[in-house]
Amino acid sequence: MEAQPKKPLIVVRNLCRGYRMGTEQVIALRNVNLTIYEGEICCVFGASGSGKSTLLNQLAGMEKPNCGEIIINGVPITKLDENQMAAFRQKNMGFVFQSYNLLPALTAEENVALPLAFSGVARKTRLRAARAVLREVGLGDRTRHYPTQMSGGQQQRTGIARAFVAKPRIVFADEPTGNLDSRTTTEIMEMMVRFLRTYRETMVMVTHNPELAVYADRIITMRDGSIVKDEYTEKGKNIHESI
Ligand code: ADP
């Protein structure tokens, strides 16, 4: 396949974030600098409290930094107001959570269709699109099930279908397999990688689980609010030539 130049998708410059706890200041991110290129599957490792979730929240524009900036696809997201950020997020980002975060009152297909509702797709069309993605994750026969009527693995497959239905440029995942057994973890990770590669999407995944490293192109390790290691895996070294 023809070599593709590396295209920076997420640029983080001198990012800091602290939290005031009574009289004390907790520093969650210390001057973080990072460039993530299009198509990379990045795994962010680090002990509890090292700043992984804070970084993910910042990249997704959920919180403002105390200093520094984040530029995604050329847009300085740290300068967007809440409405602009919400629109940017809907257009460009998908999310996979440890606890699935499905709405209990909605069926699988309604949950998966939700991101399309925000972009104004008609109900019938978005339910049809949702069913198509549910078939891709092997849940074609569970489209009318409610979350409580599905296993953990099925709920996470629904979560993946929801994250990918709108073909986002970036998928953020926070401990996506944290509540799953090892066989289901493999299934879920292989499914996500397939989607990411098919649509040349980028993923930033936060996890404690060292076994997920095998799916990553790049491993970023955090300690005390800083990136202390940032390496491409063997697979990742070829990524920009092969995708
Ligand atoms: P990780 O995801 O690696 O476990 P976090 O990003 O959640 O780490 O937390 C980094 C540090 O920031 C921790 O010391 C944590 O206690 C602190 N922290 C995170 N969020 C808040 C908050 N909303 N209020 C106060 N302190 C916080």
Side-chain angles (χ1 to χ4, degrees):
M1 218 175 279
E2 211 175 300
Q4 307 229 16
K6 272 165 90 158
K7 180 169 176 257
L9 183 61
I10 303 176
V11 179
V12 177
R13 287 202 193 112
N14 301 322
L15 197 70
C16 323
R17 173 72 201 190
Y19 298 100
R20 189 167 292 286
M21 294 293 288
T23 54
E24 269 184 55
Q25 172 85 351
V26 178
I27 301 177
L29 293 177
R30 296 170 200 267
N31 207 30
V32 169
N33 286 285
L34 175 67
T35 300
I36 293 175
Y37 298 89
E38 194 170 66
E40 289 182 352
I41 299 178
C42 300
C43 211
V44 182
F45 282 121
S48 178
S50 57
K52 305 183 298 295
S53 309
T54 305
L55 178 63
L56 205 67
N57 284 339
Q58 293 287 331
L59 297 179
M62 302 292 191
E63 287 179 359
K64 291 280 182 222
N66 298 120
C67 66
E69 64 175 348
I70 300 173
I71 298 159
I72 298 186
N73 200 26
V75 177
I77 63 154
T78 32
K79 296 205 176 90
L80 301 181
D81 68 27
E82 225 168 280
N83 290 335
Q84 292 169 324
M85 188 62 228
F88 186 87
R89 203 179 292 122
Q90 281 151 24
K91 188 158 177 273
N92 295 284
M93 299 174 181
F95 295 87
V96 180
F97 304 93
Q98 175 170 5
S99 47
Y100 325 127
N101 288 19
L102 301 174
L103 296 182
L106 301 185
T107 61
E109 64 181 18
E110 288 168 340
N111 267 291
V112 173
L114 220 48
L116 298 173
F118 298 122
S119 47
V121 179
R123 182 177 160 84
K124 230 177 164 173
T125 312
R126 61 182 194 254
L127 287 176
R128 197 179 318 119
R131 284 193 294 274
V133 189
L134 280 166
R135 278 196 296 278
E136 280 191 65
V137 299
L139 289 177
D141 54 351
R142 296 285 190 282
T143 58
R144 299 282 170 85
H145 279 55
Y146 288 91
T148 53
Q149 299 170 326
M150 294 190 285
S151 68
Q154 289 170 339
Q155 289 183 61
Q156 194 56 305
R157 285 197 260 163
T158 307
I160 290 171
R162 179 188 53 191
F164 285 91
V165 72
K167 308 252 182 334
R169 297 182 80 99
I170 309 167
V171 175
F172 293 110
D174 195 352
E175 293 287 2
T177 61
N179 292 341
L180 304 172
D181 60 44
S182 65
R183 195 173 60 94
T184 315
T185 293
T186 307
E187 260 174 43
I188 291 289
M189 288 308 302
E190 286 179 353
M191 196 170 277
M192 282 207 286
V193 170
R194 202 176 65 229
F195 275 113
L196 292 161
R197 297 294 192 227
T198 304
Y199 300 109
R200 203 171 192 271
E201 290 161 332
T202 304
M203 181 160 80
V204 182
M205 172 172 68
V206 159
T207 182
H208 272 103
N209 184 354
E211 286 171 22
L212 301 192
V214 299
Y215 302 100
D217 300 317
R218 181 172 172 184
I219 296 181
I220 296 163
T221 310
M222 295 191 69
R223 191 186 306 145
D224 287 339
S226 300
I227 293 176
V228 291
K229 216 163 150 195
D230 181 358
E231 289 179 330
Y232 283 92
T233 61
E234 276 310 309
K235 188 156 64 101
K237 284 178 187 155
N238 303 319
I239 179 81
H240 296 289
E241 284 75 44
S242 60
I243 56 174

